[in-house]
Amino acid sequence: MSNVTSNHTTHRELVASRLANGIWIYAGAILLLIGTVGNSLVLAVVVRSNLRKLTTSLYLIVLAVVDTAILYNGLMRYWIKEITGTDIRMASVSSCKVQTFFAYFLVQFEAWILVCVAFERMIAVFHPHRAKVIFTKRFAAIQITFTGLVLMVINLHFFWTHTLMHGSCLLSDTKFTYFADNIWKWLDFVLSSLGPFVLMVSFNVAIISRLIYLKYAKNRTTDVVSKRLNTMTAILITISFVFFLTTAPISFFSRRERHREEAAESDEEWAIISIVAYVNNAINFILYCLSGPCFRRELAKMLKIEKYLSKIHPVENNDTGNEGR
């Protein structure tokens, strides 16, 4: 009986391992391709089009760069590992520290850039004239730089708490165990998921509530309200909710499964929720196209397909809404 149970367990682990391997190789390759092309197009559209005049465009540029960096630092690591059997994190002591540092820092940085742009859009909806004075490109650059520096300092501990031992990137000393298990995992959860989500939801609810108020309480027409809900605001609301839906599962799993990630039975689950998280970094270009008519127009101009887009969405050519603030 024990042999039958053992064989069943072995078969189950083998199936889970093969499924995880397939997910990393094929889904990973697709996301890397989509993310690379999509984020490159985002940069090209924002830098070359009228969108570059907007303060929010600086945030979009940073997000495209960070999303690409996350894909290549994180997803590419797993893809190479499944293809070659080599884990770049374990290549040397330096790669252990640097790759782990960026794995956490980049995810947190992306989350707080979204918080910054959400706050800016909220102020723009409530106080459009004041926002034009306060939220300049210089202010955005300072805000992005300050956010990045603070998060870098918070994550610097990886350079002394982690090292390469016995072929694995592990805590360099047992004295860091309490910090890793009881402080850092909660701090990272707040910085990378819970905190940004709560703030983004709050700002987005405020934005939507304000727009509804302008429509009904002030007796504004639907067209006017639609124009106020411009490209950047629509994009923000979309990517904010997609961000939480794709990143929340891995945040919960990482806390619950901290000591089980090496187990064969968790390979399949870890691969699925990780790929879902990387979807967030790969599809922002698609979200911009779906939620931003101005972004679609600028993309069509760049690709010289305006006439085809006008046949599909003829209304967009007459959209004269304020694309700034």
Side-chain angles (χ1 to χ4, degrees):
M1 183 66 179
S2 60
N3 289 335
V4 174
T5 303
S6 177
N7 290 336
H8 177 72
T9 301
T10 301
H11 176 71
R12 180 180 176 182
E13 291 177 351
L14 181 62
V15 171
S17 178
R18 287 180 176 176
L19 179 58
N21 178 265
I23 291 173
W24 285 120
I25 292 177
Y26 299 109
I30 292 172
L31 289 183
L32 283 168
L33 177 61
I34 293 175
T36 301
V37 174
N39 289 323
S40 298
L41 285 173
V42 170
L43 289 172
V45 171
V46 174
V47 171
R48 295 178 54 182
S49 71
N50 291 327
L51 291 176
R52 70 178 181 274
K53 300 176 183 178
L54 306 179
T55 301
T56 319
S57 66
L58 187 58
Y59 294 110
L60 296 185
I61 291 172
V62 174
L63 284 173
V65 173
V66 172
D67 279 330
T68 304
I70 290 174
L71 290 173
Y72 279 86
N73 182 71
L75 181 55
M76 177 67 83
R77 172 202 166 200
Y78 287 105
W79 189 78
I80 292 175
K81 182 179 178 181
E82 295 297 333
I83 293 291
T84 67
T86 301
D87 190 341
I88 59 175
R89 179 180 286 186
M90 314 307 175
S92 66
V93 173
S94 296
S95 62
C96 162
K97 297 174 182 289
V98 172
Q99 198 280 332
T100 304
F101 168 82
F102 279 109
Y104 285 86
F105 164 73
L106 289 171
V107 173
Q108 294 169 8
F109 191 35
E110 178 197 26
W112 285 95
I113 292 299
L114 288 174
V115 171
C116 290
V117 73
F119 178 72
E120 188 228 339
R121 297 317 299 169
M122 182 186 70
I123 299 300
V125 170
F126 278 82
H127 305 286
H129 298 297
R130 188 177 301 175
K132 290 180 181 179
V133 177
I134 298 174
F135 293 101
T136 62
K137 279 196 172 183
R138 181 173 180 274
F139 178 85
I142 293 174
Q143 192 175 46
I144 290 169
T145 302
F146 178 76
T147 301
L149 289 175
V150 169
L151 292 174
M152 279 186 175
V153 171
I154 292 175
N155 285 274
L156 277 178
H157 68 85
F158 285 111
F159 288 95
W160 61 81
T161 61
H162 282 64
T163 191
L164 192 65
M165 294 192 302
H166 312 297
S168 297
C169 191
L170 305 170
L171 292 175
S172 58
D173 196 301
T174 54
K175 67 181 180 182
F176 298 125
T177 302
Y178 179 83
F179 169 77
D181 290 344
N182 299 283
I183 298 177
W184 175 248
K185 72 176 183 179
W186 286 103
L187 180 59
D188 176 60
F189 177 59
V190 171
L191 290 175
S192 63
S193 184
L194 182 62
F197 174 70
V198 170
L199 290 173
M200 282 190 284
V201 167
S202 300
F203 296 151
N204 286 330
V205 168
I207 290 171
I208 295 171
S209 300
R210 177 64 174 175
L211 293 172
I212 293 175
Y213 171 78
L214 290 175
K215 178 180 179 180
Y216 294 104
K218 295 294 184 179
N219 197 28
R220 299 289 183 90
T221 65
T222 302
D223 286 342
V224 172
V225 176
S226 296
K227 291 174 183 178
R228 293 294 299 276
L229 185 59
N230 55 54
T231 293
M232 293 303 180
T233 303
I235 286 175
L236 167 65
I237 292 174
T238 303
I239 63 178
S240 295
F241 282 100
V242 171
F243 166 80
F244 179 74
L245 292 175
T246 54
T247 60
I250 196 170
S251 296
F252 287 113
F253 182 91
S254 296
R255 288 173 55 246
R256 179 173 61 87
E257 302 288 335
R258 180 177 178 82
H259 302 292
R260 290 182 54 213
E261 289 177 14
E262 291 80 9
E265 62 183 2
S266 70
D267 284 348
E268 176 186 359
E269 188 178 358
W270 175 251
I272 292 173
I273 64 172
S274 295
I275 286 294
V276 169
Y278 288 121
V279 164
N280 172 65
N281 309 113
I283 67 168
N284 276 341
F285 169 75
I286 299 173
L287 299 180
Y288 298 165
C289 289
L290 292 176
S291 60
C294 182
F295 184 90
R296 289 196 297 271
R297 287 199 304 274
E298 297 296 342
L299 175 64
K301 289 179 183 178
M302 188 183 74
L303 299 179
K304 302 185 184 304
I305 57 172
E306 307 102 301
K307 60 180 180 180
Y308 301 106
L309 181 65
S310 63
K311 292 178 181 179
I312 300 174
H313 299 287
V315 175
E316 291 185 0
N317 291 330
N318 298 320
D319 181 9
T320 58
N322 175 23
E323 296 295 351
R325 279 187 298 270

